Amino acid sequence: MIRFCFLITGLFFIASAARAEPLVPLLRPRTLDSLKQALLLKRETRSRVDALLMLSNDQITRYEELEIDPVDAEQYIRQASRLSTTLGYADGQVQSLCAQGRLAGIRGDRKTAETLLRQVLAHYVRQRMPSRQAATWYYLGQVYGRNAEELPEKISCYEQAMRFFKQTGQVADQAYMLKTIADMHLLQGHPAQAEQELMQVLAMYRSIHYPNLHYTYDLLASIYHNSLNNYGQALKYMLLTLESATASKDSTYLSSFHLSLGVLYDELKQWQTALTHYNKALDLFARDNSAMMVHNIAHSITSVLIAHDSPQAALTFYKRILRQHPLPPASSEWSQVYMTLADCYSALKQNRLAEYYYLKMLATRSKKSPLDNAAIAAHIKTGTFFVKVQKYDQARYYLGRAMDMLKEAGYVRGTPSVHLQLFKVDSAQQHYPAAIAHYQKYKALSDSIFNERKSQQIANLEISYNTRKKEQDIALLTRQNQLQQARIRAKDLQRNSIIAGSALLILLSALLFNGYRLKQRSNRLLEAKQVEINLKNSSLEQILQEKEHLLAEKEWMLKEIHHRVKNNMQIIISMLNAQADFLEDPQALTAIMDSRNRVNAMALIHQKLYQTDSLSQVNMPEFVRELTDHLLSSYSLRTSVQTDLHIDNVSLSVTQAIPIGLIINEAVTNSLKYAFPEQPSGMISVTLNAPGPAICQLTISDNGTGFPDGLDTARSNTLGLLMIRGLSQQLGGKLTIRNENGVRIQLVFTAA
């Protein structure tokens, strides 16, 4: 939990960076130079108006995306408007009005921006220009803020833009708007909805072979990392982000992508890999002269070094950063510098210097907005330090301030570490009830998923217990009523006997007394039987509860085993990826990729098992679809290859699902590697059906070049065919491999 203090500042900067491509791409340096050269010619033409508007809009977009001051935008717009009026260039006048509205929006004059942009929108409505309407709706949406009050209006504008882009068949722009809407839904606290929308965005982009998928991958990774706490999916999409950005040679946000990966690996305690990405991000930000981000990443690197018991190396490293990337005296980033120095001196047990820099950090933070993640981290760090040096009153003050700010910001994720430190403070000051309360909150927030399930089980047990208790009370009241009625009848009999005659009084009294004794004995026997029955019922209930508890523990342990097996295989995949970074031999790289895909096929089985209620059966349609998608994404150069899946609703046991997954992995991998060497496109078909009871048939085929002439597939000793034949024998199935307009592999086996 203490690592939260080291990571929260980095997460703050990552979350605040808008890593997204603009609707209209930024102009390349060559294009910018060409447009500025054209302006020097002083020609009063429509082309000059277009050049002025392109330059002004590019500067406004650069401010929206990179916060670069649009110094010349107003001058360009004024010249374009004046020249359009002189030339009678109506479209230039409307576009100048639109640029004025956008400029007013980024300067905070929302009223003017809305007025101008709605005038532009009305013009395009009259002219029936849906494509221009779509862009104007987007610009209008940009005017509204990203706060809770303005987000509904912002989303409404984006939805209008998406509707018009869809109407004009602009799939890329339609997907861009859906991605932007998903980002807004994430801000509103709807990560599941945002995830679903981003999956639709990926499908739309892939349908048109759009290359820059890394911005969508990055947003998905952010959802899984910061909202859904699914580190496996977060790591998957961050690696896809980096791969896509590298493949498309888009280096605009490469530094931020490396920083995100560093933070993720840092949280996963894979610190060596985290350092690799931190250093890459540091070099890229240093190249761009971004001192703020350089110091932010340097803080993360020093935190990792401190965690590895190298505080002196951390201090030496950070002093070098201070020399190479000095900050101006008035910079707002000095609080980050003081925090880093304080952490180093605290780890070196130079407490006097550490306290000096922690307090100086807080004094610097007090000049800024008091409620942000960096301010929260500053108070947590200071409070934790005072706990360490046993200054408990100061520790309580700063930790209390951090708790108040966390509650005000609604940031629950950080509170466990604060409760843990307050537990230490209360324990040291002998405030044991408060200490116990803080420790309970710490444990509750540390394992909320387990506690939620446990609370549900306790609630169910309480309901069951209360129901049984009420039934027992009703039964007891019934027995008491029966006994009372029997006594009343006995008394009536006695009274009637006395009235019948005194002659029979002695006899009747003896008979009644004897009957009374028999009844008492009978009652005692009945009560003893009832007690015995109750004891047996209690024993049976206890046995049933223990059985349910053991079954629940067994189920949890099985899921945990599958989860850990999947995690271990994911670590193997990461190690193979890391190994691939150091290999240059193409054959070795191919072997590494093949091994990684085989491990991924097995890891996917275990992932499906712990994510579903069934611990022994694998849902094959979902598994085969995810396996083939992973293989296609692994061979990113083969974007023209399509898959045709026909998977019946078949569930197989683990012992059969793993061989089937490996066979599909080998067959599809061989098709991707060898089936389409010269073809511009290809098709890989995978079919799994059940033609009869307990019979399954797997067919994998492609329309590629097929096996080389003269190849005997029954005797070939290639690793892929050896694995396919061996796995088929393990399944006890009948394997057929033929050349039919490509390669066709068919396996018929008995489903267990």
Side-chain angles (χ1 to χ4, degrees):
M1 293 302 169
I2 301 301
R3 288 291 296 159
F4 165 77
C5 296
F6 296 139
L7 295 172
I8 189 171
T9 309
L11 288 171
F12 167 72
F13 284 106
I14 293 170
S16 63
R19 296 189 299 275
E21 81 265 54
L23 179 65
V24 179
L26 297 174
L27 298 178
R28 297 181 179 275
R30 234 180 240 181
T31 306
L32 285 171
D33 292 339
S34 176
L35 290 172
K36 290 178 180 179
Q37 288 295 325
L39 293 182
L40 296 176
L41 299 177
K42 303 291 184 181
R43 293 176 179 172
E44 304 293 318
T45 63
R46 293 188 175 188
S47 297
R48 182 179 181 83
V49 174
D50 294 338
L52 289 166
L53 290 171
M54 288 176 67
L55 288 168
S56 63
N57 281 309
D58 185 72
Q59 287 201 0
I60 294 170
T61 303
R62 288 179 188 276
Y63 177 81
E64 291 176 340
E65 298 298 321
L66 305 172
E67 295 189 0
I68 298 175
D69 189 18
V71 289
D72 300 318
E74 186 173 4
Q75 177 186 349
Y76 289 148
I77 295 169
R78 193 181 302 113
Q79 291 180 26
S81 178
R82 189 165 50 245
L83 183 56
S84 296
T85 303
T86 302
L87 297 173
Y89 184 21
D91 190 53
Q93 292 174 336
V94 175
Q95 290 193 53
S96 299
L97 204 63
C98 181
Q100 289 176 25
R102 294 185 67 195
L103 186 61
I106 66 173
R107 289 178 173 174
D109 187 357
R110 194 174 77 182
K111 184 177 180 181
T112 301
E114 284 181 319
T115 301
L116 294 174
L117 290 173
R118 289 193 181 276
Q119 289 179 19
V120 173
L121 195 58
H123 171 79
Y124 289 140
V125 170
R126 290 193 299 271
Q127 297 297 319
R128 297 182 179 179
M129 302 174 71
S131 180
R132 294 284 185 89
Q133 290 179 58
T136 310
W137 275 114
Y138 168 72
Y139 295 143
L140 187 58
Q142 293 289 85
V143 171
Y144 298 103
R146 296 164 65 93
N147 52 63
E149 294 78 14
E150 298 182 40
L151 272 176
E153 189 66 32
K154 194 178 188 75
I155 293 173
S156 176
C157 293
Y158 290 157
E159 287 175 342
Q160 290 285 0
M162 183 173 68
R163 182 170 66 86
F164 282 108
F165 280 135
K166 182 178 181 180
Q167 179 180 331
T168 56
Q170 295 170 259
V171 178
D173 293 329
Q174 180 189 349
Y176 175 88
M177 292 314 307
L178 183 56
K179 176 164 66 69
T180 307
I181 291 169
D183 194 7
M184 299 303 102
H185 284 153
L186 182 60
L187 286 176
Q188 288 183 319
H190 306 307
Q193 181 180 359
E195 176 195 13
Q196 183 180 4
E197 290 168 339
L198 289 174
M199 291 302 178
Q200 296 177 26
V201 171
L202 284 177
M204 294 167 69
Y205 275 151
R206 286 168 178 161
S207 70
I208 59 172
H209 305 293
Y210 184 73
N212 296 335
L213 297 179
H214 38 283
Y215 298 105
T216 310
Y217 290 147
D218 178 59
L219 192 52
L220 272 169
S222 176
I223 291 174
Y224 287 121
H225 184 191
N226 300 317
S227 299
L228 300 179
N229 293 327
N230 187 334
Y231 285 95
Q233 289 293 90
L235 183 58
K236 168 188 172 181
Y237 283 106
M238 273 313 310
L239 292 172
L240 285 173
T241 300
L242 202 58
E243 180 183 340
S244 174
T246 304
S248 62
K249 298 181 180 180
D250 182 2
S251 61
T252 308
Y253 292 106
L254 196 59
S255 52
S256 296
F257 297 151
H258 278 295
L259 177 56
S260 296
L261 259 176
V263 171
L264 184 56
Y265 278 119
D266 202 345
E267 289 190 35
L268 293 171
K269 298 184 180 180
Q270 297 188 25
W271 289 315
Q272 195 58 47
T273 310
L275 279 175
T276 300
H277 289 286
Y278 279 149
N279 283 315
K280 288 181 180 179
L282 184 70
D283 293 341
L284 291 169
F285 279 118
R287 186 185 65 189
D288 295 337
N289 297 318
S290 178
M292 176 189 74
M293 293 306 299
V294 165
H295 283 273
N296 178 254
I297 299 169
H299 172 79
S300 298
I301 294 174
T302 57
S303 298
V304 174
L305 292 173
I306 290 170
H308 276 72
D309 298 326
S310 303
Q312 187 59 55
L315 182 60
T316 303
F317 162 77
Y318 193 64
K319 285 184 175 180
R320 177 171 60 82
I321 292 295
L322 281 172
R323 289 194 303 271
Q324 294 176 351
H325 303 278
L327 292 170
S331 173
S332 61
E333 299 309 312
W334 278 103
S335 61
Q336 178 83 2
V337 174
Y338 298 143
M339 178 188 289
T340 308
L341 291 172
D343 288 345
C344 293
Y345 286 122
S346 175
L348 289 167
K349 299 183 180 179
Q350 298 182 25
N351 296 332
R352 184 179 59 81
L353 281 172
E355 181 174 349
Y356 169 77
Y357 281 113
Y358 277 130
L359 294 177
K360 199 166 184 180
M361 167 191 69
L362 286 174
T364 306
R365 289 287 336 152
S366 65
K367 299 175 184 178
K368 305 180 183 179
S369 172
L371 186 60
D372 60 35
N373 288 354
I376 296 170
H379 283 80
I380 295 176
K381 288 251 189 179
T382 307
T384 303
F385 167 75
F386 280 122
V387 172
K388 175 184 173 183
V389 298
Q390 300 181 0
K391 293 184 178 181
Y392 298 117
D393 290 334
Q394 294 97 316
R396 185 184 300 279
Y397 170 75
Y398 291 112
L399 292 171
R401 288 280 300 124
M403 184 67 74
D404 292 339
M405 288 189 285
L406 283 165
K407 289 178 180 177
E408 185 178 349
Y411 194 71
V412 180
R413 184 179 175 189
T415 56
S417 61
V418 183
H419 282 298
L420 180 61
Q421 297 305 320
L422 286 172
F423 158 73
K424 295 178 181 179
V425 172
D426 285 325
S427 298
Q429 294 186 335
Q430 299 181 358
H431 300 155
Y432 297 118
I436 292 172
H438 281 299
Y439 190 76
Q440 288 174 337
K441 291 178 182 177
Y442 159 70
K443 291 299 291 180
L445 291 170
S446 298
D447 198 3
S448 59
I449 296 174
F450 173 79
N451 283 335
E452 180 181 349
R453 180 178 176 184
K454 200 70 177 176
S455 299
Q456 184 63 39
Q457 291 177 349
I458 291 170
N460 291 338
L461 287 173
E462 288 176 348
I463 292 170
S464 177
Y465 170 78
N466 290 332
T467 302
R468 288 195 303 272
K469 188 173 183 297
K470 288 179 180 178
E471 291 173 351
Q472 291 171 359
D473 290 341
I474 291 170
L476 180 60
L477 288 172
T478 302
R479 287 194 301 273
Q480 289 176 347
N481 182 59
Q482 291 173 348
L483 290 171
Q484 187 175 5
Q485 292 295 328
R487 291 191 182 100
I488 291 172
R489 287 194 299 270
K491 288 181 180 180
D492 289 342
L493 180 59
Q494 290 175 3
R495 184 188 61 191
N496 293 333
S497 298
I498 293 170
I499 294 172
S502 58
L504 298 175
L505 179 60
I506 297 174
L507 179 60
L508 290 175
S509 297
L511 290 173
L512 288 172
F513 180 71
N514 187 51
Y516 176 76
R517 286 187 64 188
L518 290 173
K519 191 173 289 292
Q520 290 290 349
R521 182 181 178 185
S522 177
N523 288 340
R524 284 194 297 271
L525 289 173
L526 287 173
E527 289 176 356
K529 289 289 185 182
Q530 185 62 47
V531 170
E532 183 180 355
I533 291 170
N534 289 340
L535 288 174
K536 289 183 178 179
N537 286 340
S538 298
S539 177
L540 286 173
E541 289 171 1
Q542 185 176 359
I543 291 171
L544 287 174
Q545 290 176 1
E546 291 176 355
K547 181 180 178 182
E548 290 177 358
H549 179 70
L550 290 173
L551 287 174
E553 283 189 350
K554 179 181 178 182
E555 179 183 348
W556 179 83
M557 289 176 67
L558 285 173
K559 286 194 175 184
E560 181 66 18
I561 288 169
H562 286 302
H563 191 186
R564 294 194 179 190
V565 170
K566 189 274 294 184
N567 285 346
N568 289 337
M569 289 185 173
Q570 193 63 47
I571 290 172
I572 294 172
I573 292 172
S574 300
M575 293 171 66
L576 291 172
N577 288 335
Q579 182 64 47
D581 291 340
F582 296 95
L583 295 176
E584 296 181 358
D585 185 353
Q587 293 183 351
L589 284 171
T590 301
I592 288 290
M593 179 178 291
D594 290 345
S595 299
R596 183 189 65 189
N597 288 338
R598 290 167 186 143
V599 174
N600 179 75
M602 292 184 287
L604 194 56
I605 294 287
H606 292 281
Q607 178 178 336
K608 292 301 173 190
L609 288 173
Y610 81 78
Q611 286 181 342
T612 61
D613 292 333
S614 175
L615 296 175
S616 60
Q617 296 291 316
V618 179
N619 181 267
M620 296 305 292
E622 185 178 350
F623 166 66
V624 173
R625 183 166 54 255
E626 291 193 22
L627 177 60
T628 53
D629 286 347
H630 170 78
L631 291 173
L632 286 177
S633 64
S634 296
Y635 292 87
S636 57
L637 294 178
R638 303 183 181 275
T639 55
S640 59
V641 177
Q642 303 294 318
T643 58
D644 183 17
L645 305 180
H646 298 281
I647 312 300
D648 287 356
N649 190 16
V650 175
S651 293
L652 298 179
S653 65
V654 182
T655 56
Q656 289 189 321
I658 289 178
I660 290 296
L662 290 173
I663 290 172
I664 294 173
N665 180 81
E666 293 302 318
V668 174
T669 298
N670 286 340
S671 294
L672 290 172
K673 290 166 63 177
Y674 307 115
F676 313 107
E678 298 177 356
Q679 294 178 233
S681 62
M683 176 66 70
I684 299 175
S685 175
V686 181
T687 302
L688 178 62
N689 54 27
I695 299 296
C696 287
Q697 178 175 292
L698 172 67
T699 305
I700 308 166
S701 61
D702 62 58
N703 60 352
T705 58
F707 288 121
D709 294 337
L711 176 66
D712 186 356
T713 58
R715 296 183 179 179
S716 173
N717 290 326
T718 63
L719 179 59
L721 288 173
L722 280 174
M723 286 186 66
I724 291 173
R725 291 200 299 270
L727 292 167
S728 300
Q729 291 175 0
Q730 179 182 334
L731 289 168
K734 180 180 179 182
L735 177 67
T736 305
I737 303 176
R738 294 196 302 270
N739 268 343
E740 291 184 0
N741 297 322
V743 174
R744 178 183 178 86
I745 300 173
Q746 186 175 76
L747 174 65
V748 180
F749 62 97
T750 302

